[in-house]
Amino acid sequence: MGSAGEPGFQVKQVHPTFACEIQGLDLSQGITDDQFNQVRDLVHEYGVVVIRKANFPDDLAHIEFSKRFGDIEKSKYRSAHMRPLPYPEIFDISNLDENGEVVTHSNERRTTAIRGNALWHADGSFNPRRTYISCLRAVELPPKSTGGHTEYADARQAYDDLPEETKAKIKDLVAIHSFYHNRKTANPDSPLFKDIEVLDMPVSRHKLVTNHEPSGRHMLYVTSYAHSIEGMPLEEGQKLLKELADHCKQEKYVFQHHWESPGDVAVWDNTAVLHRATTGAYEGKYRRDMRRTCINDSGPEAYGLNDPALAANQANSS
Ligand SMILES: [Fe+2]
């Protein structure tokens, strides 16, 4: 076991500006305080940390590790279309249905969610209290080369690289976020979403540029849940959101994580990076069992401009 300053595992940066990979950290027997502090510092610095062969033995070990980051989120309900996993802290990100079978395209609820998650986002930005950490674990993976990679965008570097004029223009702007905006964008013809008026549904308000306190940097908090800009004509706000989102998702800011083995874990900071799921040939064919925990943000920007009382009944991070 390493002492402070000597983590006892190897760290390798995997993108020129962010994201790192840890090798040699076996979490099957838990983690020491020193090791955890090192991991948390890496998450803050790099935004994304992939722990190869972390090997949580079960859901409880995954939950216990996650809780070290703070206030863990619990799902309030299980969709009848998903597996009845026993712990509310574990979110089912698999492609399996309530019977443990691979989801097919006839399952509208699941396929619309999969398409929504393929758009760039930060988990939980549509909530009054946003999400801080997500911890995603591979339990069962499809054959290599059939896809299912996870992509991350360095939204802090993207902010740093903006022209000063743009930074001045957007520094105090507030975006209106909605879960339904993402789902409608991803599924314009779906009967589940096409007739929904986004602004008739619950929304959240978060600043477009947020301060990432642990690193002292700024993040461009431009997620696919962001529907419009407060106080700006709809079209003008949406045009600005698109320009900023297009800026963030340039190839130079993107790291693609290829899942290698069951037991691998990705930990990312939703208050520093954006992410998305990618599709692939595995869909409809091969099992992909992924499980995720989320930690609520407790920092100064956690509630954005929302009433904290509303967070008590907020939706799952999705
Ligand atoms: Fe996500």
Side-chain angles (χ1 to χ4, degrees):
M1 291 290 167
S3 57
E6 296 171 19
F9 50 78
Q10 296 79 49
V11 180
K12 183 177 76 176
Q13 188 163 346
V14 289
H15 178 279
T17 64
F18 78 130
C20 72
E21 181 181 299
I22 290 176
Q23 303 243 20
L25 179 62
D26 180 354
L27 297 177
S28 61
Q29 304 297 319
I31 188 169
T32 66
D33 290 345
D34 283 347
Q35 285 176 321
F36 177 76
N37 290 336
Q38 300 271 358
V39 171
R40 187 179 49 203
D41 287 350
L42 290 169
V43 173
H44 289 155
E45 182 180 352
Y46 290 93
V48 191
V49 174
V50 173
I51 310 175
R52 297 287 186 196
K53 297 192 170 67
N55 294 337
F56 292 128
D58 51 29
D59 289 343
L60 267 182
H62 184 178
I63 292 167
E64 287 307 312
F65 170 79
S66 306
K67 279 161 88 172
R68 284 176 167 259
F69 284 97
D71 176 19
I72 195 164
E73 191 178 340
K74 294 184 185 176
S75 58
K76 297 192 175 62
Y77 66 92
R78 290 277 183 211
S79 159
H81 302 277
M82 302 184 92
R83 293 178 298 169
L85 295 178
Y87 300 101
E89 292 91 343
I90 298 280
F91 291 81
D92 190 0
I93 316 289
S94 75
N95 66 341
L96 305 173
D97 67 14
E98 62 271 36
N99 302 311
E101 303 292 331
V102 172
V103 167
T104 64
H105 284 287
S106 61
N107 189 331
E108 183 79 2
R109 276 188 195 282
R110 297 296 298 280
T111 52
T112 51
I114 288 166
R115 284 189 213 112
N117 285 325
L119 302 181
W120 288 103
H121 64 282
D123 290 334
S125 81
F126 53 83
N127 275 325
R129 184 184 186 185
R130 65 182 189 163
T131 303
Y132 161 45
I133 296 292
S134 295
C135 178
L136 182 62
R137 145 180 166 243
V139 176
E140 192 174 354
L141 290 169
K144 282 189 184 141
S145 81
T146 60
H149 315 309
T150 308
E151 290 190 334
Y152 300 91
D154 189 350
R156 288 180 298 184
Q157 189 63 43
Y159 173 81
D160 287 349
D161 292 347
L162 285 173
E164 291 305 319
E165 189 189 328
T166 308
K167 287 181 184 169
K169 177 182 165 187
I170 66 174
K171 78 178 173 57
D172 294 321
L173 294 181
V174 173
I176 311 283
H177 294 248
S178 162
F179 170 81
Y180 292 95
H181 178 62
N182 164 287
R183 290 300 190 265
K184 280 189 76 156
T185 307
N187 307 282
D189 302 320
S190 170
L192 292 177
F193 301 107
K194 72 178 164 57
D195 296 327
I196 287 177
E197 284 297 330
V198 168
L199 294 181
D200 289 345
M201 306 302 283
V203 296
S204 69
R205 302 159 68 221
H206 292 281
K207 287 178 74 176
L208 206 47
V209 178
T210 52
N211 182 26
H212 183 254
E213 205 177 39
S215 64
R217 300 178 68 190
H218 292 92
M219 175 196 188
L220 207 41
Y221 199 58
V222 183
T223 87
S224 55
Y225 298 110
H227 166 267
S228 47
I229 303 287
E230 196 164 76
M232 199 178 268
L234 182 65
E235 268 184 32
E236 187 184 342
Q238 292 190 332
K239 182 166 171 279
L240 177 60
L241 287 169
K242 182 175 184 313
E243 280 168 14
L244 294 170
D246 286 347
H247 170 70
C248 271
K249 65 189 187 193
Q250 292 179 79
E251 206 179 314
K252 63 182 173 180
Y253 298 128
V254 174
F255 162 60
Q256 190 174 58
H257 170 209
H258 291 230
W259 293 87
E260 279 185 6
S261 337
D264 288 357
V265 162
V267 184
W268 67 89
D269 183 343
N270 290 286
T271 70
V273 300
L274 299 171
H275 68 280
R276 67 171 177 170
T278 67
T279 56
Y282 77 91
E283 282 182 39
K285 274 194 207 137
Y286 297 108
R287 296 167 64 85
R288 184 171 184 270
D289 185 351
M290 308 293 289
R291 303 181 193 195
R292 190 196 67 191
T293 53
C294 281
I295 304 299
N296 291 310
D297 190 9
S298 296
E301 309 261 16
Y303 295 92
L305 289 90
N306 307 297
D307 177 356
L310 293 175
N313 294 316
Q314 72 183 22
N316 296 329
S317 285
S318 182

